Structure formats: C-alpha cells, structure tokens
Amino acid sequence: MRYRTVGNGRTAFDVSTICLGTMYFGTRTDVDTSFAILDRFVEAGGTFIDTADNYNAWVGGHGRDSEDLIGRWLADRGVRDRVRLATKVGAAKKDPALPLSNTPPTNFEGLGAEVVHRQAHESARHLGVDRIDVLYGHVDDRETELAETVGAFGALQDEGLVGISGISNVALWRVVEAREEALRQGVAPYGLVQQQYSYVYPEPKLGRHNFVTPDLLDYAASTGTDARPPLAVTAYSPLHQGALTRRDKPLWGGVEHPTSHARLATLHDVAREIGATPNQVALAWLLGADVPVIPVVGASSVAQLEEALGAAELDLDPEVRARLDAEPVLPRAATARPAA
C-alpha cells in the first residue's frame, strides 16, 4: 500500500491511496463478508474507509446500515487508531415517505446548518467515534446560502468533531467560491472533493456536475499554498460499477458512446500485455496520473478487494500511460465493446 497526505491548511493526515467504499455493507453485503473485507483491507495497509448516512436506503436498509456496521467492526476489532473514516451528510431523505431522486424533486435533506450539525453528530454516534476524519456534503445544495453551509462545516471543524470537510457532486465554480467563503469567515475550507471518475468519461453536457473534469484536476494541482490551501480529489465508481470488464453491465451516466468503447478496447489490450487485469490498470491509471486521485473502491467480496489491492503499487510505464491517454481513432462504424 502507498499513502498520501490530505489536508485543508490547518489539519492534515495520511491516508492510503486506495479508499475502501462500503455502500452496501450491512445489506447486500452481509455482516461476515463485510467484516472479512474490512479486516483484509486493514491487513493490507489500507487506512481510508468511506461511507455515508443514506447508503442502503434504496435496497431495504434504513440509510445508516453501513455506518452501523463499521461502528460494530471498529468496536470489535479495536482498530480505530489505524483508520481514517469518511462519511457524508445532506442526501438522506427529507421526507421519509418519499423516494430519493437524482433529479428534482430530489428529496435530499440539503446542507442547511441545522441538518449538517445534526446529521454529523448522528453519524459519529452510529460509527461509535468521537471524531469523523472526513465529512463531505454528499450533494451540493444550491437552495441554501453557500455561507451557511460553509459556516456549518467550519463550526464542526472548530468543535473538533470533524477533521477535514469536503464536498461531492458539485460544480468547480462552487468549490472555488466555497473555499473563498471559508477564508472570508476564518474557518477551514473544504480539503477534499469527491466526484465520479473512471477511465471512461461522459460526453460534455451542461448541468453535469458530478464528474471529475480537467479543470478540477488543474485547480487541485494549483493548491497547497498559504493563499490556496490543499485540495485533494477522491473518485467514486472508479471501475464504473463493473462495466469496465463485464459486458452485462451498462455504461451509464453519459458514458455510452464510441470513444468509451475504443478506450475499453485499449484498456483490455494493455492489461493482457502487462499481465494485469483491466480493473487494475484502470486504478493504476488514476493513481499514477500527473494529478493523482484517490479511488474509492467498492468491494462485495474479499476476492474483489484483492484485485483492487493489486493496483496499489502497479506503476504504468510512460509509454503505456501515453497509449492509454491517447485520443482513440474511431472507425466510421461505432466500435464494439471488448469481450470480457
């Protein structure tokens, strides 16, 4: 395992460069399997664990199933001092009787000061900890004044409940304005941004604010000065929920287009040539980029985790990376997806 430092100009700590996503722990992934995955992750040197306060609500859970399971595991294993915990608030149900949606009306709770304060304390209680290392706003809330949201996260950091705050599913200009607002208020700014990101990417579209962009990476690379505190990028769905390797998994979120098919063909060719799996190459591509990101890798079995761990120290040769980064030459007809 390798490590990197994340921080916000006031607080900093090291995390493993692979983060373990735990979305379905306690529901689709049963308790014994979840514990085995967590155990193996820590045994392998993993230290960064990611969850949220609304996971599993759409598959029969109550929303905090993952937080509760992690809390049970921490208490049973006694490893709190060996891991850094990240959770998210703001996207749980505002009205329990209505479903969640990614399009308006979303039914998200939002990032008002009362919600942020209350749900952060609830997350700490469910996790069984007195400090949350990283707390993200799960989805940017444009209906709440940015100053209110920024102040709420700043207060939690001043209180000592939260180490570093972050934001997810957000436009870059909102990240920049929020960080400037934090400096105006004299509170710690967001130190992390979590967006969707993988080797395949969506077509540009006005209003798509959940994906890592070149401008976000460029901005993150410019940080780390007194005037512009550090900002790290974490990536959810780095393996596109299995679609990089499985033909039965759809390309979703605007990624279904000929360029993706051509890139997948290159990914599979490279993997065969260097003796790795396509998933490992895709993760190594993220980890070794000029502006590296921290992939949040979900696993539903120890075998899936083992595959991901194989990417932690996989260094791609410059010529291999250049090949992966090259713009594909598309034939007149759409390129077919590669066989698994």
Side-chain angles (χ1 to χ4, degrees):
M1 187 62 70
R2 291 172 177 169
Y3 305 88
R4 62 175 290 185
T5 302
V6 295
N8 58 16
R10 299 186 183 184
T11 300
F13 46 75
D14 289 344
V15 296
S16 54
T17 53
I18 289 181
C19 178
L20 178 63
T22 64
M23 180 181 290
Y24 292 121
F25 284 18
T27 49
R28 285 181 175 174
T29 307
D30 63 51
V31 173
D32 288 345
T33 302
S34 300
F35 272 41
I37 293 169
L38 288 161
D39 288 344
R40 176 62 187 130
F41 183 65
V42 171
E43 179 186 50
T47 64
F48 203 9
I49 298 173
D50 185 273
T51 184
D53 72 350
N54 74 332
Y55 283 164
N56 298 296
W58 50 88
V59 293
H62 58 74
R64 293 190 184 273
D65 310 76
S66 175
E67 287 186 336
D68 286 340
L69 184 138
I70 292 169
R72 289 173 56 188
W73 174 76
L74 289 171
D76 186 75
R77 302 301 199 252
V79 294
R80 176 64 185 98
D81 61 343
R82 296 176 59 185
V83 298
R84 296 292 185 178
L85 301 176
T87 193
K88 310 175 194 74
V89 298
K93 290 183 178 183
K94 185 175 183 179
D95 182 345
L98 297 176
L100 294 171
S101 172
N102 286 324
T103 57
T106 63
N107 197 32
F108 295 150
E109 281 191 306
L111 298 174
E114 188 277 331
V115 170
V116 171
H117 177 84
R118 170 170 46 85
Q119 296 294 35
H121 282 269
E122 272 297 290
S123 286
R125 185 175 71 83
H126 281 262
L127 289 164
V129 299
D130 57 11
R131 180 178 175 86
I132 298 168
D133 298 300
V134 174
L135 182 70
Y136 295 98
H138 204 155
V139 179
D140 186 30
D141 176 10
R142 297 196 184 189
E143 296 182 6
T144 298
E145 289 292 332
L146 196 58
E148 179 180 343
T149 299
V150 168
F153 279 97
L156 289 172
Q157 291 169 105
D158 289 344
E159 176 187 337
L161 181 71
V162 171
I164 300 172
S165 65
I167 188 68
S168 183
N169 299 300
V170 62
L172 174 58
W173 69 267
R174 294 276 291 177
V175 177
V176 176
E177 288 205 1
R179 282 164 53 88
E180 291 297 319
E181 175 62 25
L183 295 178
R184 285 191 291 271
Q185 292 189 23
V187 298
Y190 294 144
L192 295 106
V193 174
Q194 185 173 127
Q195 302 281 82
Q196 184 188 341
Y197 194 34
S198 74
Y199 182 64
V200 291
Y201 48 81
E203 297 174 296
K205 178 182 177 181
L206 185 65
R208 179 176 282 130
H209 302 311
N210 65 322
F211 211 87
V212 169
T213 63
D215 281 345
L216 173 60
L217 295 174
D218 189 41
Y219 176 69
S222 76
T223 66
T225 66
D226 290 342
R228 191 173 292 166
L231 182 74
V233 179
T234 62
Y236 68 85
S237 298
L239 301 178
H240 209 69
Q241 298 181 355
L244 301 187
T245 58
R246 291 176 52 180
R247 292 176 62 90
D248 61 313
K249 291 281 190 175
L251 295 174
W252 50 277
V255 169
E256 177 62 65
H257 52 76
T259 297
S260 291
H261 300 160
R263 286 175 69 82
L264 286 176
T266 300
L267 178 71
H268 282 246
D269 287 345
V270 166
R272 282 192 294 269
E273 291 167 15
I274 70 173
T277 70
N279 284 336
Q280 288 170 339
V281 174
L283 292 175
W285 177 79
L286 292 170
L287 291 165
D290 289 340
V291 185
V293 303
I294 299 172
V296 182
V297 181
S300 59
S301 68
V302 174
Q304 288 183 356
L305 175 64
E306 291 288 359
E307 181 186 20
L309 292 173
E313 297 186 20
L314 174 60
D315 295 317
L316 301 176
D317 291 338
E319 58 271 22
V320 169
R321 178 167 291 280
R323 187 174 162 196
L324 291 167
D325 286 339
E327 288 294 326
V329 178
L330 301 178
R332 292 182 182 274
T335 304
R337 291 181 65 182

